[in-house]
Amino acid sequence: DTLRAVPWQEGTAMCLADLAWADGSDVAPSPRQLLRKQLARLAERGWQSNASTELEFLLFRDTYEEAWRTGYRDLDPANLYNVDYSLLGTAKVEPLIRRIRNSMAGAGLVVENSKGECNLGQHEINFRYEDALTTADQHVIYKNGAKEIAAQDGMSISFMAKFNEREGSSCHIHFSLADAEGPIFARERETFESFLAGQLACLRELTLFLAPNVNSYKRFAKGSFAPTAVAWGEDNRTCSLRVVGHGPSLRFENRAGGSDLNPYLALSAIIAAGLHGVEQGLELEPRYDGNAYLAEDRPRLPSTLLEAREEFAQSDVARAAFGEEVVK
């Protein structure tokens, strides 16, 4: 059920697979199987998860080989000014962006939009939400495919979380739960609040699954559109967790992840944190109003990979959700 055509490569199809040991048993630390285990925990309650990942990237007019030969220095951004919502700026690279959009549609992804962003040459293409496993699969297909298409056109794409001192590239994750009757967050406010409370309680110890590289932590800077405080708010982009939508579309957005994350691990962390909140009956703290970068009374996200590693290594939530083998 993961088999699909790959329109940007002639005569090619792709099939994503799960790893198994010779006896047929699961490879527990495999990211895709890790997510499947968390989805099974939701299914025990009659729940399924809906999610969408928003990937930003930097586009350069250099080929990958040219970039490598220069040590990735002095690259030529596809746009030389902020093209956030700019019609002209995005039109200049529309031939490539359109090709990526159409190719992904041909591979079975439902394209919602593309837009320019703030950093030089920064863009974003978004796709319709799906169940969490499908979303993760499509995330990796899109990310790899976008690089291949850029290479074919003599350009290159970087999904580094913090390429330079300007705006970093995020992977905001929108998340909600549903049952047989449809979305449940609006219908079951208590479930919504305890699930969100779990995100706050576990964010520091599970940040490793949202920010996996040394470079990831350079993105967490005040006033940079990337969060620093563990807080939630109503449509507040300065918080790590942003609640948006209403009625059936009520959901939260995790803003901590960078575009370098592994989507299977990131979604696993979100589900594990939410179930912890539900199982423990955690109460949701008051929302944060105002600039969360100035919130001295809120915990901070880990500032280094080492700090995140230590938080994860000591996490009882991680051990209970993922198992000792995965934590090791």
Side-chain angles (χ1 to χ4, degrees):
D1 59 4
T2 67
L3 182 65
R4 68 189 68 216
V6 178
W8 58 93
Q9 300 286 6
E10 185 175 355
T12 302
M14 174 189 291
C15 182
L16 300 180
D18 283 315
L19 294 170
W21 294 113
D23 64 2
S25 61
D26 289 348
V27 179
S30 168
R32 194 172 192 270
Q33 296 191 36
L34 202 67
L35 177 56
R36 288 177 59 191
K37 179 179 178 181
Q38 301 312 305
L39 295 175
R41 296 178 65 200
L42 290 179
E44 291 173 358
R45 295 175 174 268
W47 296 345
Q48 67 178 43
S49 57
N50 292 318
S52 179
T53 56
E54 302 176 341
L55 275 171
E56 295 174 331
F57 59 85
L58 297 184
L59 176 63
F60 299 100
R61 298 193 182 278
D62 313 78
T63 67
Y64 284 102
E65 291 73 21
E66 290 167 346
W68 183 85
R69 291 191 186 101
T70 61
Y72 303 96
R73 292 177 173 85
D74 301 321
L75 301 186
D76 183 18
N79 303 98
L80 299 179
Y81 60 94
N82 180 339
V83 297
D84 192 13
Y85 295 107
S86 165
L87 294 178
L88 178 61
T90 52
K92 291 178 178 178
V93 293
E94 176 62 6
L96 174 63
I97 300 299
R98 182 176 188 273
R99 186 179 170 215
I100 294 175
R101 287 197 312 266
N102 289 349
S103 295
M104 295 307 145
L109 283 70
V110 179
V111 180
E112 287 202 332
N113 61 65
S114 61
K115 65 181 292 294
E117 288 291 348
C118 298
N119 202 341
L120 306 186
Q122 190 174 43
H123 293 264
E124 178 179 302
I125 303 174
N126 291 317
F127 304 90
R128 187 182 188 274
Y129 74 90
E130 300 279 359
D131 67 274
L133 185 61
T134 300
T135 286
D137 286 346
Q138 294 185 347
H139 175 118
V140 298
I141 290 167
Y142 158 61
K143 189 172 181 178
N144 187 70
K147 294 177 183 178
E148 291 184 358
I149 295 168
Q152 291 171 0
D153 282 8
M155 302 175 77
S156 56
I157 283 175
S158 172
F159 287 97
M160 283 181 69
K162 191 72 171 179
F163 183 81
N164 54 24
E165 293 181 359
R166 291 178 61 93
E167 294 82 3
S169 291
S170 64
C171 178
H172 299 151
I173 300 176
H174 290 253
F175 190 95
S176 65
L177 293 177
D179 60 15
E181 299 178 29
I184 67 175
F185 277 170
R187 286 191 284 115
E188 300 180 16
R189 188 73 188 186
E190 183 179 353
T191 298
F192 171 66
E193 292 189 359
S194 60
F195 202 91
L196 183 57
Q199 305 302 313
L200 294 166
C202 303
L203 185 55
R204 278 183 51 81
E205 58 197 273
L206 299 182
T207 294
L208 186 65
F209 277 12
L210 294 161
N213 299 300
V214 170
N215 176 263
S216 310
Y217 296 84
K218 298 179 180 182
R219 181 174 151 268
F220 298 145
K222 288 185 178 181
S224 67
F225 299 110
T228 57
V230 179
W232 79 277
E234 295 274 1
D235 199 13
N236 186 339
R237 286 177 167 83
T238 68
C239 295
S240 298
L241 294 153
R242 169 180 172 244
V243 173
V244 291
H246 53 82
S249 71
L250 180 65
R251 63 198 185 276
F252 64 83
E253 175 193 43
N254 184 314
R255 297 178 60 82
S259 57
D260 57 344
L261 61 71
N262 180 308
Y264 302 102
L265 298 183
L267 287 163
S268 295
I270 288 173
I271 295 170
L275 286 175
H276 172 74
V278 171
E279 291 167 355
Q280 299 300 316
L282 299 184
E283 293 187 8
L284 183 62
E285 66 184 46
R287 74 185 187 193
Y288 191 87
D289 295 320
N291 186 352
Y293 291 116
L294 306 177
E296 299 297 334
D297 60 337
R298 294 297 199 277
R300 318 305 287 179
L301 286 168
S303 59
T304 65
L305 181 62
L306 177 60
E307 183 182 355
R309 183 263 179 209
E310 294 301 311
E311 288 282 341
F312 185 81
Q314 300 166 20
S315 173
D316 292 333
V317 172
R319 279 182 172 77
F322 310 134
E324 184 67 29
E325 183 184 3
V326 172
V327 173
K328 284 184 177 180

